[in-house]
Amino acid sequence: MQGDLERVLFDEPTILRRLDEIAAQISKDYSKKELTVIVVLNGSLVFMADLMRRIQLPLRLDCLSVASYHGKAQTSGEVIFKQIALPDVQDRHILILDDILDSGNTLAAIREKLETLQPRTIKVCVLLSKRKQRSRAIDADYIGFEIEDEFVVGYGLDYDERYRNLPCIGVLRKDLVK
Ligand code: IMP
Ligand code: MG
């Protein structure tokens, strides 16, 4: 798997050190609030597991499942909600966790959908944010790392459902991207 990478951007110790910092910030910001974490599956699973164990607060966890990629390295723009029941977030302080902010379509749609459920506050935390012009305006409140506009895999992120179990994050070799 590692041989399919053009180069490694962040190894596991680097990722975990950054998660220590973000978790400390989140723990401070929500110290007097009851936090509900909403995880966007499947790409955020590894990130979520490592981050939530570093947050020193009682919290609730809910999952959302959306699809927008259909196995290609480009967003389709259309966001499909794969589960019927949305989490009950009314009056809650929610923190949406996603793997990567790319075009912004996914997070903007999720944010819009969750806003209709009347949470008290909404914040967004992403592991990675691509430096690029987004098709939808959305800002993350917590960002692990900013990266250039390249296709990356590992640490939960996939290409056609592969590479999620790579412990590091790296740029996929261009000849492997269809
Ligand atoms: P957006 O809607 O374009 O912001 O895309 C968000 C989703 O696309 C993410 O949650 C990822 O699942 C996927 N995605 C975007 N860029 C990458 C990448 O570089 N590698 C792997 N998945 C990506
Ligand atoms: Mg994906």
Side-chain angles (χ1 to χ4, degrees):
M1 274 196 307
Q2 196 108 5
D4 289 359
L5 296 181
E6 189 179 289
R7 63 186 196 281
V8 173
L9 292 182
F10 309 106
D11 63 9
E12 201 177 7
T14 306
I15 298 168
L16 296 179
R17 271 199 305 276
R18 182 70 187 121
L19 294 197
D20 283 337
E21 294 171 0
I22 299 176
Q25 188 63 51
I26 292 171
S27 304
K28 197 168 146 226
D29 294 350
Y30 288 89
S31 62
K32 301 216 168 51
K33 301 185 184 116
E34 213 179 271
L35 175 62
T36 299
V37 173
I38 311 262
V39 184
V40 184
L41 301 176
N42 297 328
S44 310
L45 271 178
V46 182
F47 170 43
M48 172 274 287
D50 282 336
L51 182 72
M52 70 181 276
R53 284 176 294 173
R54 289 171 164 73
I55 298 176
Q56 317 264 317
L57 296 171
L59 58 80
R60 294 167 59 119
L61 182 69
D62 274 300
C63 297
L64 265 189
S65 187
V66 300
S68 62
Y69 254 63
H70 315 294
K72 297 183 212 79
Q74 266 177 17
T75 185
S76 65
E78 185 195 3
V79 175
I80 305 150
F81 286 76
K82 290 205 276 189
Q83 65 187 32
I84 300 142
L86 286 166
D88 177 16
V89 296
Q90 190 168 13
D91 288 328
R92 300 197 162 276
H93 296 286
I94 63 175
L95 179 63
I96 305 168
L97 287 195
D98 205 358
D99 51 0
I100 188 164
L101 187 49
D102 184 19
S103 71
N105 282 323
T106 307
L107 270 171
I110 289 170
R111 204 191 160 117
E112 222 166 65
K113 187 77 146 189
L114 291 175
E115 261 160 13
T116 66
L117 306 176
Q118 300 171 315
R120 193 170 302 179
T121 62
I122 300 191
K123 281 193 184 183
V124 173
C125 174
V126 291
L127 176 62
L128 302 170
S129 172
K130 288 189 189 174
R131 276 189 210 101
K132 66 190 285 186
Q133 188 90 36
R134 305 201 199 289
S135 39
R136 294 196 57 183
I138 173 123
D139 283 321
D141 301 275
Y142 306 94
I143 296 172
F145 304 97
E146 298 225 27
I147 61 169
E148 295 310 317
D149 190 10
E150 294 180 295
F151 198 80
V152 296
V153 294
Y155 198 72
L157 289 127
D158 74 304
Y159 174 63
D160 215 0
E161 295 305 325
R162 295 181 64 209
Y163 308 107
R164 291 197 198 276
N165 54 330
L166 258 181
C168 63
I169 298 168
V171 178
L172 192 59
R173 268 172 31 209
K174 304 276 182 299
D175 61 296
L176 295 172
V177 182
K178 279 174 251 149

